[in-house]
Amino acid sequence: MSEPARDIATLSWWMFAIAAVVFGGALFLLLLAWMGRGREGFPVIGKREKLESRAVVLFGIVIPVVVLVGVFAFANLVVLKDTDAPKASSTALTVEVTGHQWFWEVRYPGTRAVTANEIHIPARTRVNLVAKTDDVIHSIWIPRLNRKIDTIPGHPNRILLYADEPGRYRGQCAEFCGLQHAHMAMYVFADPPDRFRAWLRNMQRPEPAPSGPSERSGERTFMDGQCASCHTIRGTPARGDIGPDLTHLRSRTTLAGLTIPNRGGYLLRWIRNPQHFKPGNKMPALGLSDRQLQKLVTYLEGLR
Ligand code: CUA
């Protein structure tokens, strides 16, 4: 959890409680009115001078204004202050997250690290998340860390990411952005600081040349076929920018925006028919033979 997420939870529970009291009160008045039907004046009290107009002012104007102004003030003075964009000087790290239909590109400005869908941050560190988009409006939402932040074309937004303990926090695109909006998820891994530094160091490393014959054959398939025109693998000629950067692909736990796990035969089945797992995504089936496919996967699984 984080301070902003706790504030948001507190606000929503208070709003729920207040709404429940107002709803209960309205039901009670309705019940009184029903019990007093057919008689003049108020139930129990009877007919009194000016009482009707005062009741209308109290329940129709005073109570709603006091309740709404109170909740509005709390939301804007307390919650908005804590969930607002952080001051640049108050953060120790900037992460740039760019929405694509339908995956998240993750960059660490000032370094060469690029990854997709799995954001690593150091725990107990204030991180400045810059939200961008390459196409339509998406919205980054990691409920246990902060509120939603929209990605607007041509207008980067910022939000604070802070995890007060190490762990894995799930995030989701929260703005409908097309067919696979629901499969546009992400993980935020809050690592202990030394683990994070080791991860970042590894991510900056270009891929070394593959060693075995199967890997080399798989690499050729990747570079000569259509893969390299859409994907980047740093340290190789592959420079495509349509699909996710695949450098150190094996260090991710999931594929395709958390749609499938990155283990077992999933990678092979994904490449064989990407439209099966995520219909409408931009990756075509390549029509490779089983042997080619197997070698391609062997190569990709060596990208650690
Ligand atoms: Cu991206 Cu919904």
Side-chain angles (χ1 to χ4, degrees):
M1 284 290 269
S2 69
E3 200 57 44
R6 264 192 289 271
D7 281 351
I8 293 167
T10 307
L11 172 67
S12 58
W13 282 114
W14 270 104
M15 284 172 73
F16 179 74
I18 292 168
V21 169
V22 169
F23 183 66
L27 279 188
F28 178 69
L29 292 178
L30 197 64
L31 184 71
L32 280 186
W34 180 74
M35 282 162 54
R37 69 197 185 283
R39 264 172 287 155
E40 280 231 354
F42 277 81
V44 191
I45 310 169
K47 198 166 169 55
R48 291 259 187 97
E49 190 87 358
K50 287 187 182 158
L51 199 60
E52 283 95 341
S53 54
R54 280 185 191 156
V56 168
V57 170
L58 177 67
F59 292 113
I61 300 174
V62 176
I63 291 180
V65 166
V66 168
V67 168
L68 292 178
V69 167
V71 173
F72 181 82
F74 180 71
N76 283 276
L77 298 180
V78 180
V79 178
L80 202 65
K81 187 171 118 298
D82 270 0
T83 59
D84 210 5
K87 282 199 190 69
S89 57
S90 75
T91 55
L93 174 77
T94 294
V95 181
E96 220 178 82
V97 181
T98 305
H100 296 258
Q101 286 170 315
W102 294 277
F103 69 93
W104 304 98
E105 173 192 335
V106 184
R107 287 174 184 273
Y108 294 77
T111 79
R112 288 184 298 279
V114 186
T115 185
N117 305 320
E118 301 194 0
I119 307 172
H120 284 249
I121 60 170
R124 295 185 204 91
T125 306
R126 289 170 63 85
V127 176
N128 174 28
L129 186 149
V130 179
K132 297 178 167 184
T133 175
D134 188 46
D135 37 52
V136 301
I137 301 177
H138 306 269
S139 185
I140 300 171
W141 188 30
I142 304 135
R144 281 160 70 212
L145 298 184
N146 211 332
R147 66 180 170 92
K148 299 169 188 172
I149 187 83
D150 283 4
T151 69
I152 312 288
H155 178 89
N157 276 329
R158 299 191 308 117
I159 199 165
L160 175 75
L161 269 197
Y162 180 91
D164 53 13
E165 53 190 308
R168 192 184 71 179
Y169 301 84
R170 199 180 191 283
Q172 173 65 40
C173 182
E175 180 70 47
F176 183 71
C177 55
L179 192 58
Q180 289 298 339
H181 157 70
H183 282 147
M184 193 171 166
M186 71 178 92
Y187 278 137
V188 173
F189 291 90
D191 301 327
D194 49 337
R195 262 247 300 281
F196 171 74
R197 277 192 297 274
W199 176 84
L200 192 62
R201 222 176 302 125
N202 183 52
M203 291 309 292
Q204 295 195 67
R205 220 164 34 84
E207 287 293 348
S211 46
S214 301
E215 282 96 331
R216 277 201 294 276
S217 165
E219 188 193 32
R220 268 197 304 283
T221 304
F222 191 95
M223 300 305 158
D224 300 345
Q226 296 172 59
C227 311
S229 55
C230 288
H231 295 281
T232 292
I233 297 178
R234 275 166 294 127
T236 76
R239 295 266 156 69
D241 61 356
I242 309 286
D245 188 304
L246 300 180
T247 319
H248 308 302
L249 177 67
R250 195 68 175 145
S251 66
R252 294 172 214 166
T253 64
T254 60
L255 298 170
L258 273 56
T259 308
I260 48 175
N262 186 16
R263 58 176 152 74
Y266 280 101
L267 181 58
L268 190 141
R269 285 160 62 200
W270 166 261
I271 300 171
R272 183 183 282 145
N273 186 6
Q275 299 301 319
H276 170 75
F277 292 102
K278 208 166 169 177
N281 86 79
K282 289 181 183 151
M283 177 140 160
L286 302 170
L288 299 172
S289 71
D290 277 359
R291 270 173 61 102
Q292 280 177 310
L293 203 55
Q294 191 57 58
K295 285 174 179 167
L296 180 59
V297 167
T298 309
Y299 166 63
L300 291 171
E301 289 189 333
L303 306 177
R304 295 164 185 278

